[in-house]
């Protein structure tokens, strides 16, 4: 794919991500009890510095809602914003060390079912969280992903119910029109493929402009209706006035504080895990199926966090919501992320008066579309057809992420996945074939201590005078507990006149030799 083709796709995609990222950066700053500019600084650095160094072509980095609770607690515990910034700088250095030790390889341990469950869960959260904004209830900040909301002590479900009771007709109208434009515009582009300019204008931009025009028209033609600023994007200052307030520098004298080191390590670990999850998800969504360099990504995140902390910004991670918006907007390279980062910076100097007129309802329509694409309802049925060993980890991940957070949900999904693997291995490791008094016991795969109870019950059930052959030719490894169970059975077999033979049983456990009568095959 040539550079011109990349530009035609990455510039519009970067603009879409910018529209999504701007309110998220502001909202996460407010929710973190941090200076309003700290989220924008993190977003700008994540979109430029991290993007240039990134190991992923499609990942978008910036302040993450998943770190909000950690940031709030850390600022309170450390006592000042400057001390917290020192911890952010240190967290970046720790991530750089992680990258040198190859910690990025841990992304390979996330099962496909868990990653797909994560994407579906993020889609569900996006849709649920945007319903109140679409109905005109904007008390919760943009970018909040938690089920239990920090800002007003509500939860996702109760907030939706309250928004239904208190919905605003004009704002619902803006949402409906914006949604219509999101759906209609791609069809218009498809119909008029011969018009190049039409292809360059992304549907989210059309939806946002359309929603803003309706909002301004309502203000102009209906004097009794005035759009409350809480329903609009709110950037409180412009240019250097805003960034100047944010350029607070770390308190270097606190670097030796044990609490600072603890906060830095916590941010580095959790931020790295969320980054690896997001990059893995980006690879799954990538139409070109490219594989990201995860160690390079951790290095990029480390550089980004160190610079963000130096300039007064929040911690940075790769973020799934913005990454998803990037992928579904048609991005092909990391240039889209750079475009979004540059637009965040430029907008503060040139576009603040216009950006502050954008209704959150119009942005909700854009996020509805992204959320629906992530959910992919047919994926639930597809994983159900794959069997419980795939469906349960997928479903548990979805439920866990929606009702708790990303790390807890993914951890639960991995645990359930491991349990399903253990269950499958347990039931499939030993098979029995009988012919009257002849018993053939086959170890069809590696046999662990978990199979000991079943094996002992099986051997104890063999009747007097039977002939037993234990065939271990298909097992590469046999746990010592299994050998002990066979040894015990050998000792009682003579009393029950049971003839015991084995095949390929020796050598499957280092430094252990079973004293059982061997077959001619083993003797050779």
């Amino acid at each position: 794919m040539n550079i011109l083709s990349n530009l035609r796709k990455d510039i519009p995609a970067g603009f879409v991500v910018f529209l999504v990222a701007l309110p998220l950066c502001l909202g996460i700053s407010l929710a973190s009890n941090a200076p309003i500019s700290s989220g924008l600084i993190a977003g700008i650095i994540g979109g430029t510095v991290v993007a240039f160094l990134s190991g992923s072509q499609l990942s978008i980095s910036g302040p993450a809602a998943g770190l909000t609770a950690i940031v709030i607690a850390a600022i309170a515990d450390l006592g000042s914003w400057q001390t917290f910034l020192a911890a952010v700088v240190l967290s970046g250095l720790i991530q750089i060390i992680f990258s040198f030790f190859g910690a990025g390889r841990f992304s390979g341990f996330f099962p496909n079912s868990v990653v797909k469950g994560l994407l579906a869960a993020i889609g569900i959260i996006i849709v649920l969280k945007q319903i109140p904004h679409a109905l005109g209830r904007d008390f919760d900040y943009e970018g909040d992903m938690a089920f239990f909301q920090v800002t007003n002590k509500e939860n996702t479900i109760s907030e939706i119910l309250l928004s239904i009771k208190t919905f605003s007709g004009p704002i619902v109208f803006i949402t409906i029109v914006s949604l219509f434009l999101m759906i209609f515009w791609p069809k218009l582009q498809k119909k008029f493929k011969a018009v190049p300019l039409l292809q360059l204008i992304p549907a989210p931009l059309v939806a946002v402009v359309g929603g803003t025009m309706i909002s301004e028209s309502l203000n102009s033609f209906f004097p009794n209706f005035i759009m409350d600023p809480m329903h609009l994007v709110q950037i409180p200052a412009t240019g250097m006035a805003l960034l100047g307030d944010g350029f607070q520098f770390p308190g270097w004298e606190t670097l030796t504080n044990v609490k600072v080191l603890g906060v830095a390590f916590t941010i580095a670990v959790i931020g790295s895990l969320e980054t690896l999850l997001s990059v893995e998800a980006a690879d799954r969504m990538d139409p070109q199926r490219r594989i990201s360099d995860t160690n390079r990504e951790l290095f990029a995140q480390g550089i980004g966090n160190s610079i963000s902390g130096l300039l007064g910004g929040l911690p940075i991670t790769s973020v799934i919501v913005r990454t998803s918006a990037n992928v579904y907007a048609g991005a092909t390279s990391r240039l889209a992320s750079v475009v979004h980062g540059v637009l965040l910076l430029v907008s503060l100097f040139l576009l603040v008066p216009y950006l502050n007129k954008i209704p959150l309802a119009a942005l909700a329509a854009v996020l509805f579309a992204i959320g629906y694409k992530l959910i992919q309802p047919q994926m639930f049925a597809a994983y159900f057809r794959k069997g419980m060993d795939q469906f349960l980890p997928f479903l548990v991940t979805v439920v866990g992420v929606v009702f708790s957070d990303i790390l807890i949900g993914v951890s639960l999904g991995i645990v359930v996945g491991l349990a399903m693997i253990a269950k499958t291995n347990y039931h499939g490791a030993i098979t029995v074939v009988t012919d009257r008094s002849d018993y053939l016991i086959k170890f069809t795969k590696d046999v662990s201590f978990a199979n000991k109870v079943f094996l002992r019950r099986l051997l104890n059930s063999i009747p007097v005078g039977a002939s037993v052959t234990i065939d271990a030719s298909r097992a590469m490894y046999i746990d010592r507990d299994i050998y002990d169970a066979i040894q015990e059975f050998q000792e009682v077999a003579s009393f029950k006149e049971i003839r015991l033979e084995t095949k390929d049983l020796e050598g499957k456990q280092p430094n252990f030799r079973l004293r059982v009568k061997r077959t001619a095959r083993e003797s050779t």
Side-chain angles (χ1 to χ4, degrees), residues 8-80:
R8 287 175 177 172
K9 293 184 177 181
D10 288 337
I11 291 177
F15 202 97
V16 171
V17 178
F18 157 69
L19 292 174
V20 173
L22 179 64
L24 296 182
C25 290
L26 295 171
I28 292 169
S29 297
L30 293 171
S32 302
N33 293 335
I36 189 69
S37 58
S38 62
L40 289 170
I41 292 170
I44 292 167
I45 293 170
T48 53
V49 176
V50 176
F52 275 119
L53 300 173
S54 176
S56 170
Q57 292 292 331
L58 299 177
S59 173
I60 302 290
S61 297
L67 293 176
T68 300
I70 294 172
V71 173
I72 293 173
I75 294 173
D77 190 35
L78 296 178
S80 73

Side-chain angles (χ1 to χ4, degrees), residues 138-393:
D138 297 301
F139 293 100
D140 190 30
Y141 71 92
E142 281 283 5
D144 182 14
M145 304 289 283
F147 182 75
F148 295 102
Q149 298 172 178
V150 177
T151 51
N152 57 2
K153 307 304 179 184
E154 299 290 341
N155 61 57
T156 301
I157 303 303
S158 66
E159 188 75 13
I160 291 173
L161 295 176
L162 286 171
S163 66
I164 293 173
K165 292 179 182 179
T166 61
F167 77 92
S168 166
I171 291 178
V172 171
F173 179 66
I174 292 172
T175 302
I176 292 172
V177 173
S178 300
L179 270 174
F180 172 78
L181 291 173
M182 282 291 298
I183 297 170
F184 172 75
W185 189 256
K187 294 181 179 180
L188 192 67
Q189 288 176 313
K190 190 174 182 180
K191 186 175 182 179
F192 296 98
K193 288 184 177 180
V195 183
L197 182 61
L198 204 64
Q199 310 304 317
L200 293 176
I201 304 175
L205 176 59
V206 176
V208 167
V209 171
T212 304
M213 290 175 65
I214 293 173
S215 173
E216 289 299 297
S217 299
L218 290 172
N219 285 332
S220 299
F221 296 109
F222 296 91
N224 293 330
F225 175 81
I226 299 176
M227 182 72 77
D228 192 302
M230 74 177 297
H231 302 308
L232 306 173
V233 172
Q234 297 180 58
I235 304 176
T238 60
M240 294 308 297
L242 177 60
L243 292 180
D245 292 339
F247 285 134
Q248 301 182 45
F249 301 103
W252 300 116
E253 70 280 359
T254 64
L255 285 177
T256 56
N257 188 328
V258 175
K259 287 185 177 180
V260 172
L261 296 174
V263 169
F265 189 77
T266 300
I267 293 173
V269 171
I270 295 179
S272 297
L273 287 173
E274 291 209 12
T275 291
L276 293 177
L277 279 167
S278 181
V279 169
E280 189 72 13
D283 289 348
R284 294 287 191 278
M285 292 185 286
D286 185 1
Q288 299 182 42
R289 296 295 185 266
R290 290 166 290 188
I291 304 299
S292 300
D293 184 338
T294 49
N295 287 316
R296 178 176 170 179
E297 183 65 28
L298 287 181
F299 177 81
Q301 295 292 332
I303 296 293
N305 270 312
S306 293
I307 295 176
S308 183
L310 283 171
L311 298 181
L314 286 170
I316 295 171
T317 73
S318 176
V319 193
I320 295 179
V321 175
R322 275 157 270 183
T323 299
S324 304
N326 192 40
V327 173
Y328 290 121
T332 59
S333 74
R334 59 175 64 93
L335 177 62
S337 178
V338 175
V339 170
H340 121 270
V342 171
L343 284 173
L344 283 175
L345 179 61
V346 171
S347 67
L348 298 180
F349 295 91
L350 302 177
L351 302 176
V352 169
Y354 306 102
L355 295 173
N356 282 344
K357 295 180 183 295
I358 297 175
L360 295 179
L363 293 175
V366 174
L367 288 166
F368 275 143
I370 295 170
Y372 178 79
K373 289 179 179 179
L374 281 173
I375 295 171
Q376 297 182 34
Q378 68 275 14
M379 187 163 57
F380 285 79
Y383 267 92
F384 183 78
R385 288 193 296 269
K386 288 182 178 182
M388 286 298 107
D389 61 324
Q390 292 293 307
F391 181 68
L392 280 182

